[in-house]
Amino acid sequence: MFVPNHYREPDVSWMVDLMRGNSLALMASNGTPADGPFATHLPVITDPQWEGRPTADLAGMPLLGHMNRANPHWAALETGSVILLTFTGPHAYVSPTVYDVTPAAPTWNFTSVHVRGVVEKIESTAETLAVVQATVRAFEKEFGNSWDMSESLDYFRKIVPGVGAFRVLVTKAEGMFKLSQEQSPEIRERVVQSFAGRGCTRHEQTADLMSRLP
């Protein structure tokens, strides 16, 4: 991903927060010349057993994910291959009206993290079930209402043979936080106000990130 210097994240925590807050990633990997590349939207979490600290490019961070084994992407996926995970965060269209100058051009403020890593397919049913349970715990804590899955474990065991779980060891991550950094503080504030007044969650989240810029 091409990231101009002024659109890079102020701190690695911005990338980690975006990934955790927008965990439905797009996983892309190469296929055969006949099939072309594969891409699948799927939930991804940080391995809860990892006790390390994020590096500047997240190298060494272990991630967990899963998909339907009936998906041709699963059959094409090979342990040891390199995959790309794309996490998309808040974004919003910027109208030239906020600049109050002519000539001007519209643009789109957006946030995204691209993660490259080496994949390891998990074949064990017990480990696959553990990945599913870890994913439930992570998302219930972040987005849900602390749902107790204990009474559904027998159901999980019935469906888990159809689940393809995997690990990814991150080799490199890049964040793109295009938030009007090239504009003057006055214009950035106009953009923030225009987003905040829309009554739309992603506009408000984009405005919040802009307000947090150094």
Side-chain angles (χ1 to χ4, degrees):
M1 177 168 63
F2 172 64
V3 185
N5 285 333
H6 50 281
Y7 292 149
R8 294 192 177 276
E9 69 282 350
D11 185 86
V12 67
S13 64
W14 282 51
M15 287 201 293
V16 175
D17 289 347
L18 186 147
M19 292 165 62
R20 289 178 176 167
N22 303 272
S23 300
L24 187 68
L26 176 66
M27 185 173 92
S29 62
N30 291 330
T32 65
D35 295 331
F38 288 90
T40 299
H41 292 275
L42 42 76
V44 176
I45 64 170
T46 304
D47 187 337
Q49 297 188 28
W50 184 58
E51 297 180 351
R53 295 179 62 85
T55 62
D57 62 358
L58 303 186
M61 176 182 282
L63 305 176
L64 299 174
H66 65 276
M67 68 172 71
N68 191 324
R69 280 179 176 263
N71 186 338
H73 196 167
W74 176 255
L77 201 62
E78 296 182 358
T79 290
S81 61
V82 175
I83 57 93
L84 173 69
L85 293 166
T86 300
F87 299 82
T88 302
H91 58 92
Y93 172 75
V94 182
S95 170
T97 57
V98 300
Y99 300 141
D100 198 27
V101 295
T102 300
T107 190
W108 205 290
N109 279 2
F110 69 92
T111 56
S112 181
V113 174
H114 286 197
V115 176
R116 285 178 174 79
V118 179
V119 69
E120 175 195 354
K121 295 175 75 170
I122 296 173
E123 301 296 348
S124 161
T125 299
E127 287 185 272
T128 299
L129 178 59
V131 170
V132 172
Q133 289 179 276
T135 303
V136 171
R137 292 189 192 100
F139 292 159
E140 278 296 320
K141 180 180 179 181
E142 188 74 25
F143 309 115
N145 295 302
S146 299
W147 173 65
D148 182 358
M149 75 180 92
S150 58
E151 294 184 1
S152 296
L153 287 180
D154 285 343
Y155 175 67
F156 280 17
R157 293 186 182 99
K158 289 180 181 178
I159 64 175
V160 82
V163 175
F166 58 88
R167 296 184 184 89
V168 174
L169 186 63
V170 177
T171 56
K172 183 181 181 180
E174 294 179 300
M176 177 80 156
F177 291 82
K178 182 179 177 296
L179 300 169
S180 300
Q181 292 96 321
E182 76 282 6
Q183 300 293 342
S184 68
E186 179 184 0
I187 290 181
R188 282 203 303 271
E189 181 58 26
R190 289 183 197 167
V191 176
V192 167
Q193 293 304 317
S194 71
F195 288 168
R198 292 288 296 273
C200 170
T201 300
R202 65 179 172 83
H203 283 80
E204 291 174 353
Q205 291 174 338
T206 306
D208 178 65
L209 285 175
M210 292 182 66
S211 297
R212 290 166 49 196
L213 285 171

